[in-house]
Amino acid sequence: MSEYITTDASDCYHSSEECEAFKAGRRGSDAAGYRLHEIRRVTAERAEGQRKTACPVCTERAAGGATP
C-alpha cells in the first residue's frame, strides 16, 4: 500500500514533499504568515475518505509527463 503526504488544510494528497505544487503551497502559506500544518502520511484511500484528491502535478509526474 503506497503512502502519500497531506496536511489538515490541504485539498490534495501528494507523492512526496518534493512535489512542486506542495512546496509552492507551503511557501505561499509561510509568506502569508499562516501557521504551517503538520505533514501527515496517509494512504490514498484514507485521503480520499477525507475528501482530498490526488495532486495533478504528482499524477502527471507518475504518468511520465512533464512537470510545470
Side-chain angles (χ1 to χ4, degrees):
M1 197 178 303
S2 296
E3 279 197 336
Y4 299 90
I5 61 163
T6 192
T7 68
D8 290 340
S10 181
D11 294 329
C12 297
Y13 58 94
H14 305 268
S15 59
S16 79
E17 292 180 47
E18 296 306 310
C19 170
E20 288 302 320
F22 180 77
K23 291 191 296 188
R26 299 284 281 183
R27 283 191 304 266
S29 293
D30 189 42
Y34 295 121
R35 178 178 67 88
L36 296 181
H37 293 266
E38 180 180 344
I39 298 169
R40 301 185 184 279
R41 300 210 175 279
V42 295
T43 63
E45 182 177 270
R46 182 174 178 112
E48 290 167 0
Q50 297 171 350
R51 299 182 187 230
K52 297 180 186 291
T53 57
C55 167
V57 174
C58 294
T59 301
E60 186 172 336
R61 177 177 288 163
T67 57

